[in-house]
Amino acid sequence: MKLDKSTIQTLAAHLETCELEARDTLKITDEYPEMDWDDAYAIQDEIKRRKVARGARIVGLKAGLTSHAKMKQMGVETPVFGFLADYFAVPEGGEAKMSELIHPKVEPEIAFVTKAPLKGPGCHIGSVLAATDFVMPAIEVIDSRYRDFKFDLKSVVADNCSSSRFVVGGRMAPVDNLDLRTLGVVMEKNGQVVSLGAGAAVLGHPAAAIAMLANLLGERGEEIPAGTLILSGGITEAVAVHAGDNVTLRIQELGSVNMRFV
Ligand code: 0L1
Ligand code: MG
């Protein structure tokens, strides 16, 4: 690690305040170019610690940059991960308030809920499917705290991978008879189709993103416990939303999920 504890605490407080006050900032590597990956995740961990200390509950995990298109766009080979806090959850058909957000974008995702722990190294698609209780359609709202989404990957990791809000559909589908690679995905904004894709856009198979997450956590001596909700990553590029927008995601065999921005 290149940053000392007090710098990590200061940067975590700064980024979390930007999130809570819905204001943007310049990427933190401008001031701390020496920051390394351990520093970036230590800042994210400190943001999580601050939330838990204030009474928030951590309700899940997210994998980010898991589509080849997005990884290529960002010039990276490894996905990243973040956490989901209780107040990020929007009820199905519910509203996200633009006054609490900076410049949100929506991503169509497949959410997994585990029924057994997953611990890397060595997790693969098979171990993930065996440990999956059910999957659901999910819309992730990303809202980078960095001005105009101008960042590098370490700054993004420190900022909890732009995590902001999410909604999951109410129908739980077991994975036994589903081929998650070939499920068609259609996202609509105000009744117009804005993105189309298939599950395979996420690392060839969305369960591969969960395996990669378990393996990354395993390197830190952590596991994905049973009963964890995990967003497996955007199937298409993120789409910007504004007040008044109504977003519906339909995933073949999994049903639909909807949310509005007010
Ligand atoms: O959910 C994700 O794919 C992570 C996004 C982080 C980068 C961004 O804000 O676009
Ligand atoms: Mg995402």
Side-chain angles (χ1 to χ4, degrees):
M1 290 188 52
K2 301 287 191 307
L3 305 183
D4 60 27
K5 195 170 174 202
S6 115
T7 307
I8 283 173
Q9 287 172 338
T10 304
L11 289 171
H14 172 62
L15 287 172
E16 205 211 5
T17 304
C18 287
E19 178 221 320
L20 297 174
E21 295 181 358
R23 60 183 166 80
D24 65 11
T25 184
L26 295 177
K27 67 180 192 301
I28 57 176
T29 46
D30 287 352
E31 209 174 330
Y32 297 95
E34 72 279 23
M35 198 176 118
D36 66 17
W37 290 106
D38 289 338
D39 293 318
Y41 278 108
I43 294 166
Q44 186 191 119
D45 285 345
E46 175 61 15
I47 293 174
K48 181 163 60 180
R49 192 202 62 74
R50 289 170 61 89
K51 292 191 188 306
V52 170
R54 282 200 310 273
R57 221 165 63 77
I58 303 307
V59 298
L61 294 166
K62 66 167 270 185
L65 307 178
T66 51
S67 78
H68 291 297
K70 204 151 176 180
M71 276 195 268
K72 195 170 165 206
Q73 188 184 21
M74 298 281 300
V76 294
E77 284 170 14
T78 318
V80 290
F81 63 88
F83 65 85
L84 304 172
D86 50 5
Y87 69 92
F88 295 0
V90 174
E92 149 62 342
E95 296 172 348
K97 293 192 178 68
M98 288 300 293
S99 59
E100 297 174 357
L101 304 171
I102 305 165
H103 43 198
K105 296 182 183 182
V106 288
E107 296 185 324
E109 308 211 5
I110 294 176
F112 287 65
V113 175
T114 55
K115 61 183 174 192
L118 275 167
K119 182 156 192 180
C123 281
H124 49 74
I125 291 173
S127 31
V128 172
L129 292 177
T132 298
D133 200 357
F134 53 87
V135 291
M136 293 179 289
I139 299 170
E140 184 186 16
V141 181
I142 53 168
D143 193 31
S144 173
R145 269 51 70 170
Y146 299 117
R147 192 158 303 156
D148 302 324
F149 276 82
K150 290 206 176 94
F151 45 54
D152 56 13
L153 213 55
K154 287 176 192 147
S155 298
V156 167
V157 166
D159 183 34
N160 193 22
C161 297
S162 311
S163 304
S164 168
R165 297 287 182 272
F166 68 93
V167 56
V168 290
R171 210 171 106 196
M172 307 182 300
V175 286
D176 316 37
N177 294 312
L178 283 179
D179 183 349
L180 297 179
R181 295 168 301 182
T182 56
L183 296 186
V185 171
V186 179
M187 192 165 67
E188 292 169 11
K189 189 169 87 171
N190 306 324
Q192 304 285 321
V193 173
V194 286
S195 41
L196 291 168
V202 170
L203 295 178
H205 193 303
I210 310 298
M212 194 170 272
L213 174 59
N215 292 332
L216 283 170
L217 287 173
E219 286 172 18
R220 297 161 48 112
E222 296 171 22
E223 66 174 25
I224 301 176
T228 304
L229 169 76
I230 313 154
L231 302 181
S232 58
I235 290 165
T236 67
E237 281 185 14
V239 174
V241 284
H242 302 95
D245 284 343
N246 192 322
V247 179
T248 300
L249 169 65
R250 301 175 208 286
I251 304 188
Q252 193 182 358
E253 311 287 353
L254 305 188
S256 62
V257 61
N258 168 269
M259 69 180 294
R260 286 175 296 134
F261 290 82
V262 296

